[in-house]
Amino acid sequence: MEYRGGVGRVLVLSFCIAGIWSAYITQGVLQETVSTKRFGPDGKRFEHLAFLNLAQNLVCFVWSLIMLKLWSRGSSSGVAPWWSYWSASITNTIGPAMGIEALKYISYPAQVLAKSSKMIPVMLMGALVYGIKYTFSEYLCTFLVAGGVSVFALSKTSSKTISKLAHPNAPLGYGLCFLNLAFDGFTNATQDSISARYPKTSAWDIMLGMNLWGTIYNVLFMFGWPNASGYEAVSFCKEHPEAAWDILMFCLCGAVGQNFIFLTISRFGSLANTTITTTRKFVSIVVSSLLSGNPLSFVQWGSVFMVFSGLSYQILLKWRKLKSSEQKKKKKGV
């Protein structure tokens, strides 16, 4: 029985890895396609990338509503009310919009690397504001990530990659990515606060509430006045159905990916999910370089390995801490 249980656990984990990788790697390719491709005989670009966030919010809202109906627990007592997500959804609307907008100015691999440096502002805030002391190993991880991102940003980007960008501007692109990280930090902290106050709130409830408010905010932003950009985005999709199809598939990949993330966290914990998503980012960069024709220089590949060495070492440190705490609990239990 233990053998079967172990095999079953490995199969579920493999299923989660395959699901997360396939959903988000495909979504990354589609995101890059929508932001860089010239559609139709007139060769027009899809400039209104914020529309991707609205479409994603709407699809994920409907998806989470269906999931809650299918797996309804009957009573909603102890679950966070829908209005409690309004503040977190503001930053969750602005942050991803900045991340997607950055693709007008920097390449997809550069965006992925910049968004992988989330630990840097967290450690800076922890050390400067809260006086938290970090170990040498934790500082080493941060140095590798910060150094890798910096080297990548300062190294020369190929002319082929630059020619695909709508408005090449590296400082602006990286600036938008780091603002995205700052807004994500507030969003995550607020979601943790909601989960602590309402412990019976499920991942589907959070997904529903966040995407409900995200849809409201994005509709107001994109359709709130006569000449708003949402009308142009819809008109572009009507004229170029290929773009509309790419956007729909982008949204569905995001919804499916969230399913696998929830399954991974519920079965194997957040650390396993972090490991899977981190390796997925590395594979996304490789896929982007191979399929999308964004060649990286030798120096840039070196900086990519530098960043993911830091991230991998950080994950290893977390695994060690987790194992150590589990062993202490077992000794206390004995």
Side-chain angles (χ1 to χ4, degrees):
M1 292 295 290
E2 287 183 7
Y3 173 76
R4 287 183 181 177
V7 171
R9 190 170 171 80
V10 170
L11 287 174
V12 173
L13 180 60
S14 301
F15 179 63
C16 290
I17 293 171
I20 291 173
W21 279 29
S22 58
Y24 285 111
I25 289 173
T26 304
Q27 188 185 45
V29 171
L30 290 166
Q31 185 183 55
E32 189 174 12
T33 298
V34 173
S35 62
T36 61
K37 186 176 179 180
R38 293 183 181 274
F39 293 94
D42 49 358
K44 285 187 177 179
R45 292 182 184 271
F46 184 76
E47 294 278 356
H48 312 289
L49 297 182
F51 186 74
L52 291 174
N53 287 318
L54 171 57
Q56 180 80 94
N57 284 144
L58 188 58
V59 169
C60 286
F61 170 72
V62 173
W63 187 280
S64 58
L65 193 62
I66 293 170
M67 291 297 107
L68 283 172
K69 291 293 182 182
L70 290 174
W71 309 103
S72 177
R73 297 154 304 197
S75 173
S76 61
S77 105
V79 175
W82 64 272
W83 47 262
S84 61
Y85 299 97
W86 72 269
S87 60
S89 294
I90 292 176
T91 51
N92 195 50
T93 299
I94 299 172
M98 288 182 168
I100 289 178
E101 193 71 13
L103 288 172
K104 290 182 180 180
Y105 311 105
I106 57 176
S107 68
Y108 180 73
Q111 185 224 40
V112 172
L113 279 189
K115 291 174 70 175
S116 296
S117 59
K118 188 179 289 188
M119 69 170 80
I120 298 172
V122 171
M123 285 185 67
L124 281 174
M125 290 293 290
L128 298 176
V129 179
Y130 299 106
I132 298 173
K133 293 183 178 180
Y134 296 98
T135 64
F136 171 78
S137 297
E138 288 172 321
Y139 279 116
L140 178 60
C141 293
T142 306
F143 170 78
L144 286 170
V145 173
V149 173
S150 300
V151 171
F152 192 98
L154 294 172
S155 59
K156 187 177 180 181
T157 303
S158 72
S159 56
K160 185 177 180 181
T161 300
I162 292 174
S163 67
K164 288 188 173 185
L165 302 176
H167 310 288
N169 188 329
L172 179 56
Y174 282 105
L176 288 171
C177 285
F178 290 122
L179 282 173
N180 176 17
L181 292 179
F183 281 112
D184 279 352
F186 179 84
T187 301
N188 294 337
T190 307
Q191 286 179 338
D192 290 342
S193 173
I194 291 171
S195 296
R197 279 183 288 144
Y198 304 96
K200 291 186 179 180
T201 302
S202 71
W204 293 120
D205 292 313
I206 295 174
M207 187 177 175
L208 181 74
M210 294 294 290
N211 285 292
L212 168 64
W213 282 102
T215 301
I216 293 170
Y217 294 146
N218 275 303
V219 166
L220 290 174
F221 172 69
M222 302 213 73
F223 297 96
W225 54 90
N227 296 320
S229 60
Y231 297 105
E232 293 181 20
V234 172
S235 176
F236 186 95
C237 289
K238 287 180 178 178
E239 293 175 11
H240 306 88
E242 186 183 354
W245 176 253
D246 286 341
I247 291 170
L248 175 61
M249 293 304 297
F250 166 86
C251 297
L252 290 175
C253 285
V256 171
Q258 287 189 40
N259 265 331
F260 283 105
I261 283 177
F262 295 154
L263 177 61
T264 303
I265 293 172
S266 64
R267 294 291 184 91
F268 305 99
S270 59
L271 190 52
N273 179 65
T274 301
T275 306
I276 295 168
T277 53
T278 299
T279 51
R280 186 273 305 171
K281 288 175 182 176
F282 177 77
V283 176
S284 292
I285 291 176
V286 175
V287 171
S288 172
S289 179
L290 294 175
L291 294 184
S292 304
N294 288 329
L296 301 184
S297 66
F298 181 78
V299 173
Q300 287 179 321
W301 275 120
S303 63
V304 168
F305 281 105
M306 192 175 175
V307 169
F308 284 96
S309 295
L311 294 174
S312 300
Y313 189 32
Q314 183 194 40
I315 291 169
L316 178 62
L317 293 175
K318 288 182 178 179
W319 276 113
R320 286 177 177 173
K321 283 184 180 179
L322 182 62
K323 291 292 181 185
S324 177
S325 63
E326 286 176 352
Q327 287 175 356
K328 288 178 181 177
K329 286 180 182 178
K330 285 180 180 178
K331 287 180 179 178
K332 287 181 180 179
V334 173

